[in-house]
Amino acid sequence: MKRKRLLAVLVGGVFCLAVMSLYRMLELMQGAELQQRGETPAGQVDKELSRLQQKIDRLEHLLSDNNRLVATLRDSLLHRKASWETTRGEGGANVSSDSTHGRAHTLPGCRLAEEMKDRADGVQLMDVYHLLPFDNPDGGAWKQGFEISYRGDEWDEQQLEVFLVPHSHNDPGWLKTFDSYYEDQTKHILNNMLLKLTEDSRMKMIWAEISYFSKWWNDCDDQKREMIRRLVGAGQLELVTGGWVMADEANSHYFALLDQLIEGHQWMQRHLGVKPSSGWAVDPFGHSPSMTYLLRGAGLHNMVIQRVHYAVKKHFARQQTLEFLWRQSWDSSPRSDITCHMMPFYSYDVPHTCGPNPAVCCQFDFHRLPGGRVFCPWRKPPQPITEQNVQERALLLLDQYRQKSRLFRSPVLLVPLGDDFRFVESSEWDAQFSNYQKLFDYFKHHPELHIQARFGTLSDYFSALHRRLGAAGTTLPTLRGDFFTYADRDDHYWSGYFTSRPFYKRLDRTLEATLRATEILFSLTLAEMRRFHGDGRLVADFPAREHFQRLTAGRRSLALFQHHDAVTGTARDPVVVDYGTRLFHSILNLRQVLQSSAHWLLLLDKSQYHHDQSKPFLQMDEVISAQDALPQKTPLTLSGEPRSLIIFNPTEQLRSSVISVIVDSPDAHVVDAETGRPMAAQISAVWAEPSRASADIFQLDFVAELPPLSLIVYHVTKASAGSAHRTQYTFHRHGNPPTVQAEHFQVSRPQGPEADARLSLSNKHIQIWSSQETGLLQRLRLQSGLVRQVQVQFLWYGTRAGANRDKSGAYLFLPGEDGAQLYSSSESPLVRVSRGPVFSDITSCFRHFTHRVRLYHLEGHAGRSLEISNMVDIRSEANRELVMRLVSDVASGNRFYTDLNSFQMQQRRTLSKLPLQANFYPMTSASFLQDSASRVSLLSAQSQAVASLSPGELEVVLDRRLQQDDNRGLGQGVTDNKPTASLYQLLLEDRRGGAQEVGAASEHLSLLAHLTSLSLCHPPITLVTPGNGQMPKLRPFLPLRSALPCDVHLLNLRTLEDAQETGSPSQEVGLLLHRKGFDCSSAPEPPLQCTWSAHEEVSLDDLFSPLRFRSVRPSALTLLPQDDEPEQQPPRITRLRPMEISAFRVELD
């Protein structure tokens, strides 16, 4: 050990000496040149200065390289020191990624997983599913429940306390667009709310969607705004959750879920000076603990949920556990607990909220009084409350309240009063308020009934609940798990929307990645500008304010699309187009910010910066022409003059990536512009048709080495004929050899024994074998010797047959009785195998999809996985869903794991007592199968449904085309399909030490899977310079000295709005870091190239060096100033716990 440490110190010393010598050498060279020439004429001064500047640039670049090496050495030394100290003190902690399994579990991320594996406190939802019979007997008045009884004296000691909470659920788009709903309904609801709440202080209301509220606020004059502030301050109006929308919790990525919360909370803070304390999620189709984590981290303490499987509701009601502390599956402490109230009945409308009997409750929805447009389907209409009927009506309502109360542990009762787009007309406000107030007054004047009822908000309810629970010494049970997959009745499982409109689910993630990259680059640009000037000023010509407004619009477009009828794919066709147009325009606007920021950062001479929106200096290498179009690469015209390509790495890791551009020549040469080093490259055909290559354009792929958050410049030139490595092609088609047109490429057809042999590709890390007939994957082999059968299949699901039977639609998946049918085609697919130095792949061209598996010939983690891509087009089909299934020999039993919102992994159990559609779950970005020896992970760039219907199988739904409505209110099928791309990485890993536990409830991705997913979801961004005119000198931008630890993810670096100047960027930035939990049973050989800390404490100053912080304030997740902790002083040691997101408001110096 001592010898190794000594060696590391020695090597570090040598590097320091080399740097100093280099500097001295340049100094002497410059001195010698000046001495030789004596006094240079004035005309030569510029040349000399220019030459000196180039040398300084070169020195700076070499110093930067050496800095990175020295940083790696320093980390290595620190690791060895920590390892040595820990070995002496506590017997073993290993920190570099070549860790042996025996000691790996002492790292924070591993410790966490080990701690949680044996914890069994509280209720596990998986265990509830295991217990329930899912038999659905008729429960009487409460059809999905049971008869509730009470004696009548239960409230003699503690009276029943009822809070009637008026609400109006406003979908930001569903049957109408966001703007149409606002004009037709929402603005009238809010105008009436302002009027009616001001008239009577007893009236109250809650409101959830800040997207609508902020739009209405913009229409209000100063007087109205002051009235709104008064109502909020008095507690009459409560803004609940505070998100931009009431977000979907199945398909949304946690970045977007948090971003829409930040947008809403920041708006509330700025305009109303308040923050929410309670969550309200009554319409999302199932619920995720990732959302509860974000709410708790944003400072909320209570929440209400509604759409939970009816059998689970019934079970919780019997156990009186409808109110519980919801805890994260991975958390052994109560730190993340949030008090959750689950509504017990079918819906959040009035018939299903006052008590178990909807026929009775409907009579107390006074919007349905006779003569109106809305009526009670149970044919017992409400009656206006009069002196003559008040006693009978009050006792009838009291009976429902009492029955509902028996399902809870406290005598405090929450009764929502509302539905979709309620309280549009002032007459509804009057009818509901006046009639209920008469009932409340009757209760008040009859103390023998032991009830107090009044209008209230969620804060009123939860304050009373906690007060009563505390007084009685009652504790709520703890629950872990999630509430997927939702069924509202019978076998109607809402697993269809996990995939519906997959084109837009993919576009959502494109915008998300573009937004995050732009946020980070814009924040770094403003910090660099202030440093450049030295006085905090920005560059005069840089449109910082306009760019910040583009960023804000992008944030809000992404936020709007997280609505539970948007990303879900459950809105009407014109509304989907409206959402798509917003996403599309935001991507274009954010690209302007990205181009402009990169332009300034790259210029060596900053005085040359000029902003011209009509002729940007940098342009994207790909174009999206419309909201429903796939991205297309723009061909680059090459010549002998170098064409500059700028690559932005939006991740916090050093990465080797393959960059792909389209060029007009089959011969091209790529070099690193700074060093002149040639890059490994490959020229491939651009296939106009499966066997006809374009004669005019070609694909150039090269390997780029990208430091974290860097902008690196490459030069592409036209090369001499035949000098570039060209891809070699082999074509297969069973029984019908294709005619191939590809004049610039070597094409062969298999002959003799080769014609019948399985296809095979390999790189340093993996070898794959595929079917010679279909090209579809069959087996994988790792460098370690591990071999696994992994067969790729494609299948169709149909829907139920019969005229009067429910069928699949946008929400529901109701497959036909015959289950999945293997995909078959009348003619054999064309199979195209390509081989080259950068990548090799196998492409299978079927009628409804083109499927490709690709291996990259790369060092590092990028070469360890198999890229799978599909281009799907099922527009010719009716009532069919296309599925890709992986069939492996992993002995996974009935268990598999899916991610929740890309934030955490959740164990799933495939249950035979449930119908097929109930065993499908949402997958935002990852799913895996494992046994004691191996793990197969499928990492995804888009969200969709996933299932494991048999041991060793994993299947994802690629697209669905359905001709009919599924009777959930949408009123149409899903027939607006488009050619849709889906992208995955398939990862096979050894599980060696500590892998005996195959079925723990809390599992994590491996570090390799985390890094692979990061690269998949945040690809490098390519910019190009114009191909003509004089080019200014560009210099790479390298903001970080070294990569962040491989378990720490830079979630965002978000410029905050100026507190004084609306719509302008401030000097403050929201820094969000997520420390990943990771599985330690698989460590790849050779080891990963990144490092991690053995401790939860890290120094922010060291992590982000050489960036400097002027101030750092730890904050809550939505970055509100009132949540700030005291400012941290250098070296700013902060605790990053595994799985936790940490937020800071910082000023970059």
Side-chain angles (χ1 to χ4, degrees):
M1 174 62 82
K2 281 183 179 173
R3 194 176 299 163
K4 281 184 182 173
R5 289 169 68 206
L6 194 64
L7 182 66
V9 172
L10 205 62
V11 173
V14 169
F15 269 110
C16 292
L17 197 63
V19 172
M20 289 167 67
S21 307
L22 188 67
Y23 188 78
R24 180 69 182 140
M25 229 166 70
L26 277 171
E27 204 176 38
L28 289 169
M29 278 164 57
Q30 193 62 37
E33 280 180 19
L34 289 171
Q35 275 177 356
Q36 271 178 14
R37 290 174 192 163
E39 290 292 311
T40 49
Q44 289 189 309
V45 170
D46 284 348
K47 281 184 185 173
E48 294 300 334
L49 285 172
S50 171
R51 205 171 283 136
L52 179 60
Q53 192 172 32
Q54 283 173 10
K55 284 171 182 171
I56 289 169
D57 290 345
R58 208 178 321 140
L59 176 62
E60 190 174 39
H61 187 73
L62 288 164
L63 277 168
S64 169
D65 281 351
N66 280 324
N67 267 341
R68 285 207 292 276
L69 288 164
V70 171
T72 307
L73 279 167
R74 182 202 59 180
D75 289 346
S76 173
L77 275 171
L78 288 172
H79 291 166
R80 296 204 179 280
K81 186 181 172 203
S83 163
W84 173 243
E85 286 171 357
T86 319
T87 308
R88 280 185 314 188
E90 56 188 51
N94 199 349
V95 282
S96 83
S97 51
D98 56 357
S99 58
T100 54
H101 291 286
R103 291 178 290 177
H105 69 269
T106 52
L107 290 166
C110 303
R111 268 206 310 273
L112 181 87
E114 294 303 315
E115 278 172 18
M116 287 307 303
K117 275 184 179 172
D118 303 319
R119 293 196 72 87
D121 58 329
V123 178
Q124 273 284 0
L125 266 165
M126 276 191 309
D127 297 334
V128 173
Y129 263 62
H130 190 68
L131 287 170
L132 293 180
F134 294 96
D135 50 357
N136 196 21
D138 190 330
W142 177 17
K143 192 170 171 52
Q144 295 171 330
F146 48 86
E147 296 292 341
I148 305 169
S149 61
Y150 60 88
R151 296 185 310 276
D153 60 358
E154 288 90 342
W155 298 274
D156 290 358
E157 299 300 318
Q158 288 194 72
Q159 70 171 0
L160 185 59
E161 195 174 354
V162 177
F163 291 92
L164 189 70
V165 179
H167 70 99
S168 179
H169 178 62
N170 283 237
D171 290 302
W174 181 39
L175 308 179
K176 301 179 189 178
T177 65
F178 173 76
D179 289 329
S180 296
Y181 269 139
Y182 177 76
E183 290 301 327
D184 296 350
Q185 284 138 294
T186 305
K187 74 176 180 185
H188 304 297
I189 297 167
L190 289 166
N191 285 333
N192 282 323
M193 177 271 295
L194 187 57
L195 201 64
K196 297 299 175 182
L197 264 56
T198 308
E199 281 176 7
D200 194 316
S201 61
R202 293 172 298 178
M203 191 63 178
K204 297 198 174 187
M205 193 182 191
I206 61 169
W207 186 270
E209 298 83 10
I210 301 299
S211 50
Y212 276 131
F213 201 87
S214 63
K215 188 173 174 67
W216 175 62
W217 177 271
N218 291 341
D219 291 347
C220 292
D221 58 27
D222 288 345
Q223 185 184 356
K224 280 186 176 178
R225 289 179 180 185
E226 197 45 53
M227 288 164 70
I228 297 164
R229 288 193 187 100
R230 276 204 301 273
L231 291 173
V232 170
Q236 272 185 271
L237 171 64
E238 182 182 11
L239 296 177
V240 288
T241 307
W244 203 246
V245 295
M246 189 184 290
D248 170 53
E249 298 181 27
N251 302 285
S252 294
H253 192 284
Y254 77 105
F255 174 95
L257 285 176
L258 179 54
D259 218 54
Q260 64 88 29
L261 271 183
I262 293 173
E263 200 57 36
H265 287 199
Q266 296 266 339
W267 188 93
M268 284 175 64
Q269 178 66 44
R270 169 177 282 275
H271 297 283
L272 300 172
V274 296
K275 58 178 267 193
S277 62
S278 300
W280 174 256
V282 293
D283 204 23
F285 324 134
H287 295 282
S288 165
S290 306
M291 189 65 183
T292 69
Y293 175 81
L294 298 176
L295 293 177
R296 187 69 193 83
L300 279 72
H301 295 277
N302 312 293
M303 63 185 297
V304 176
I305 60 174
Q306 152 59 22
R307 290 196 186 269
V308 171
H309 194 298
Y310 59 87
V312 175
K313 286 191 171 199
K314 178 179 172 179
H315 174 77
F316 278 37
R318 277 202 193 280
Q319 307 288 324
Q320 286 192 323
T321 54
L322 288 163
E323 288 179 326
F324 51 86
L325 299 174
W326 198 346
R327 183 171 295 178
Q328 298 302 311
S329 296
W330 42 265
D331 199 349
S332 55
S333 76
R335 203 168 42 242
S336 62
D337 289 5
I338 191 165
T339 303
C340 184
H341 170 102
M342 182 193 295
M343 294 188 187
F345 308 123
Y346 175 75
S347 173
Y348 54 83
D349 61 5
V350 181
H352 296 96
T353 48
C354 89
N357 191 334
V360 173
C361 289
C362 196
Q363 297 171 51
F364 294 91
D365 182 356
F366 297 103
H367 183 48
R368 302 181 196 237
L369 285 165
R373 285 172 298 179
V374 194
F375 62 93
C376 282
W378 296 270
R379 299 189 180 173
K380 286 186 180 175
Q383 304 169 25
I385 304 301
T386 63
E387 284 184 22
Q388 289 70 38
N389 70 6
V390 66
Q391 180 179 354
E392 179 265 331
R393 295 277 95 189
L395 294 177
L396 183 65
L397 181 60
L398 176 59
D399 174 55
Q400 289 298 304
Y401 286 169
R402 284 177 167 180
Q403 287 190 54
K404 183 177 180 179
S405 172
R406 298 299 295 145
L407 307 179
F408 296 90
R409 297 189 181 189
S410 91
V412 187
L413 193 62
L414 172 66
V415 181
L417 178 73
D419 200 345
D420 291 3
F421 294 96
R422 279 301 189 87
F423 301 103
V424 174
E425 292 136 4
S426 63
S427 58
E428 182 181 354
W429 288 89
D430 296 336
Q432 302 282 28
F433 179 70
S434 62
N435 285 295
Y436 268 109
Q437 197 57 55
K438 288 171 187 171
L439 294 164
F440 295 167
D441 291 343
Y442 180 85
F443 292 147
K444 187 178 178 182
H445 295 132
H446 290 80
E448 73 278 6
L449 297 177
H450 302 291
I451 177 173
Q452 179 194 10
R454 59 184 181 272
F455 292 104
T457 62
L458 288 192
S459 286
D460 295 335
Y461 170 74
F462 282 113
S463 295
L465 173 70
H466 291 302
R467 188 179 70 246
R468 290 285 195 104
L469 289 173
T474 306
T475 55
L476 296 177
T478 303
L479 176 134
R480 302 175 192 271
D482 69 317
F483 293 101
F484 293 112
T485 291
Y486 169 59
D488 57 348
R489 59 179 185 258
D490 305 320
D491 61 353
H492 292 192
Y493 284 83
W494 296 44
S495 47
Y497 83 94
F498 300 156
T499 301
S500 296
R501 268 67 176 252
F503 180 90
Y504 293 99
K505 284 177 166 64
R506 185 97 175 85
L507 191 62
D508 164 65
R509 298 285 280 278
T510 303
L511 173 57
E512 182 181 299
T514 306
L515 176 63
R516 178 185 167 277
T518 309
E519 295 269 24
I520 291 170
L521 203 63
F522 181 73
S523 296
L524 291 173
T525 303
L526 297 194
E528 279 292 311
M529 282 182 178
R530 293 187 180 107
R531 187 183 67 82
F532 179 76
H533 277 301
D535 56 4
R537 286 185 302 118
L538 299 178
V539 173
D541 196 25
F542 186 77
R545 182 179 163 83
E546 291 83 351
H547 282 344
F548 184 73
Q549 286 165 2
R550 290 185 179 103
L551 266 174
T552 302
R555 293 166 180 173
R556 292 181 175 180
S557 292
L558 182 68
L560 188 71
F561 197 66
Q562 304 318 302
H563 163 54
H564 58 262
D565 282 308
V567 68
T568 53
T570 55
R572 286 210 176 144
D573 291 351
V575 182
V576 172
V577 171
D578 182 62
Y579 286 136
T581 304
R582 291 169 186 268
L583 298 178
F584 167 60
H585 286 306
S586 289
I587 291 168
L588 297 187
N589 284 328
L590 289 169
R591 285 176 166 187
Q592 290 183 27
V593 184
L594 203 66
Q595 288 158 205
S596 187
S597 300
H599 180 188
W600 191 85
L601 288 170
L602 287 162
L603 282 175
L604 181 61
D605 179 358
K606 305 297 188 195
S607 67
Q608 291 181 295
Y609 177 81
H610 172 62
H611 178 74
D612 182 351
Q613 200 53 66
S614 63
K615 282 193 301 182
F617 170 66
L618 295 174
Q619 292 175 333
M620 307 304 293
D621 81 313
E622 66 174 25
V623 174
I624 307 175
S625 59
Q627 60 89 21
D628 57 354
L630 290 162
Q632 299 293 327
K633 296 269 186 190
T634 307
L636 303 182
T637 306
L638 299 186
S639 66
E641 287 297 306
R643 188 85 191 262
S644 292
L645 290 182
I646 288 88
I647 314 297
F648 175 49
N649 173 11
T651 74
E652 64 281 351
Q653 296 300 328
L654 172 69
R655 68 200 269 188
S656 294
S657 294
V658 172
I659 306 300
S660 187
V661 291
I662 301 297
V663 294
D664 66 346
S665 166
D667 296 291
H669 181 59
V670 186
V671 298
D672 182 313
E674 192 73 2
T675 63
R677 182 165 64 98
M679 311 309 292
Q682 174 176 339
I683 294 278
S684 309
V686 173
W687 297 97
E689 293 168 19
S691 59
R692 183 175 68 80
S694 167
D696 306 317
I697 54 173
F698 307 88
Q699 183 172 310
L700 166 64
D701 292 87
F702 66 94
V703 180
E705 297 292 330
L706 304 171
L709 306 183
S710 63
L711 289 159
I712 302 295
V713 187
Y714 293 94
H715 285 162
V716 188
T717 47
K718 192 169 183 173
S720 55
S723 62
H725 285 288
R726 295 192 194 180
T727 306
Q728 297 181 343
Y729 294 98
T730 312
F731 280 78
H732 303 252
R733 186 158 60 198
H734 195 63
N736 181 15
T739 304
V740 181
Q741 293 172 267
E743 61 180 281
H744 294 281
F745 298 91
Q746 183 183 327
V747 176
S748 63
R749 289 190 186 82
Q751 306 293 327
E754 190 196 349
D756 300 318
R758 281 199 293 187
L759 307 178
S760 181
L761 300 177
S762 63
N763 64 12
K764 286 181 180 177
H765 310 289
I766 355 172
Q767 183 172 10
I768 68 164
W769 290 269
S770 293
S771 157
Q772 181 264 336
E773 282 190 29
T774 63
L776 299 181
L777 181 67
Q778 293 183 332
R779 273 172 70 214
L780 280 166
R781 180 183 182 276
L782 292 186
Q783 184 190 23
S784 65
L786 177 72
V787 178
R788 277 283 174 264
Q789 171 191 305
V790 184
Q791 292 183 352
V792 170
Q793 300 174 347
F794 287 84
L795 305 101
W796 289 115
Y797 281 103
T799 191
R800 293 179 176 175
N804 297 318
R805 302 193 62 196
D806 292 299
K807 294 180 170 63
S808 297
Y811 300 93
L812 304 184
F813 177 35
L814 296 171
E817 284 72 11
D818 48 0
Q821 302 299 304
L822 211 53
Y823 182 93
S824 62
S825 183
S826 54
E827 61 175 49
S828 296
L830 177 95
V831 179
R832 187 174 66 232
V833 182
S834 61
R835 289 185 169 87
V838 174
F839 68 83
S840 300
D841 62 30
I842 301 172
T843 305
S844 305
C845 304
F846 292 86
R847 184 185 156 204
H848 296 94
F849 58 92
T850 300
H851 170 80
R852 188 186 77 202
V853 291
R854 175 174 285 183
L855 278 181
Y856 290 103
H857 304 291
L858 293 173
E859 304 295 333
H861 67 264
R864 298 169 195 264
S865 56
L866 181 64
E867 182 185 275
I868 298 178
S869 63
N870 298 309
M871 183 61 70
V872 173
D873 186 353
I874 60 168
R875 288 177 294 179
S876 60
E877 300 305 296
N879 276 331
R880 281 184 131 183
E881 312 195 24
L882 184 66
V883 166
M884 180 176 75
R885 180 182 286 174
L886 306 178
V887 182
S888 78
D889 53 2
V890 175
S892 56
N894 72 334
R895 299 180 182 200
F896 69 114
Y897 294 81
T898 68
D899 72 315
L900 288 164
N901 316 100
S902 208
F903 178 68
Q904 58 188 317
M905 300 304 295
Q906 174 66 48
Q907 191 200 118
R908 307 295 185 191
R909 293 179 194 163
T910 301
L911 300 176
S912 56
K913 63 184 171 185
L914 292 175
L916 181 144
Q917 62 270 22
N919 286 301
F920 279 77
Y921 291 95
M923 174 176 90
T924 311
S925 66
S927 181
F928 65 77
L929 304 164
Q930 65 185 17
D931 56 24
S932 58
S934 60
R935 177 185 283 189
V936 172
S937 304
L938 185 67
L939 308 170
S940 170
Q942 60 287 313
S943 55
Q944 63 220 113
V946 64
S948 175
L949 301 178
S950 298
E953 288 185 4
L954 205 56
E955 65 184 64
V956 287
V957 184
L958 299 176
D959 201 358
R960 45 203 322 261
R961 184 172 176 84
L962 303 156
Q963 314 308 117
Q964 62 284 312
D965 183 43
D966 51 10
N967 300 311
R968 292 305 183 276
L970 183 60
Q972 64 157 75
V974 182
T975 54
D976 57 348
N977 306 72
K978 296 159 182 54
T980 299
S982 56
L983 187 63
Y984 310 88
Q985 294 282 356
L986 181 66
L987 197 56
L988 172 63
E989 295 174 281
D990 277 304
R991 297 186 84 223
R992 297 192 286 274
Q996 295 78 21
E997 180 69 64
V998 177
S1002 177
E1003 282 276 9
H1004 303 286
L1005 293 176
S1006 66
L1007 273 177
L1008 176 56
H1010 278 308
L1011 292 170
T1012 306
S1013 183
L1014 180 73
S1015 295
L1016 180 63
C1017 295
H1018 300 285
I1021 293 169
T1022 304
L1023 301 142
V1024 297
T1025 55
N1028 50 14
Q1030 187 63 38
M1031 281 290 298
K1033 172 87 171 127
L1034 304 181
R1035 180 177 63 177
F1037 175 63
L1038 303 161
L1040 299 184
R1041 186 176 64 198
S1042 58
L1044 266 57
C1046 43
D1047 59 336
V1048 176
H1049 172 48
L1050 175 60
L1051 186 58
N1052 208 348
L1053 199 59
R1054 184 188 213 263
T1055 295
L1056 300 174
E1057 189 175 21
D1058 192 285
Q1060 273 71 49
E1061 199 179 337
T1062 302
S1064 290
S1066 73
Q1067 295 202 16
E1068 276 197 311
V1069 174
L1071 168 64
L1072 291 157
L1073 295 174
H1074 180 200
R1075 187 167 206 163
K1076 306 276 189 173
F1078 55 91
D1079 173 72
C1080 303
S1081 63
S1082 63
E1085 296 295 340
L1088 299 173
Q1089 292 304 300
C1090 56
T1091 58
W1092 62 64
S1093 168
H1095 309 286
E1096 291 186 354
E1097 288 75 22
V1098 297
S1099 161
L1100 290 182
D1101 289 332
D1102 283 355
L1103 275 192
F1104 288 94
S1105 173
L1107 286 178
R1108 288 204 303 274
F1109 299 111
R1110 190 180 310 152
S1111 67
V1112 174
R1113 294 181 183 85
S1115 191
L1117 292 187
T1118 50
L1119 303 163
L1120 301 181
Q1122 68 201 71
D1123 293 329
D1124 283 0
E1125 294 174 27
E1127 185 176 331
Q1128 288 188 342
Q1129 299 305 314
R1132 301 194 172 91
I1133 303 295
T1134 194
R1135 188 175 186 186
L1136 300 180
R1137 293 187 177 95
M1139 287 303 297
E1140 302 268 19
I1141 302 171
S1142 301
F1144 308 87
R1145 288 192 319 121
V1146 305
E1147 287 186 42
L1148 293 170
D1149 205 356

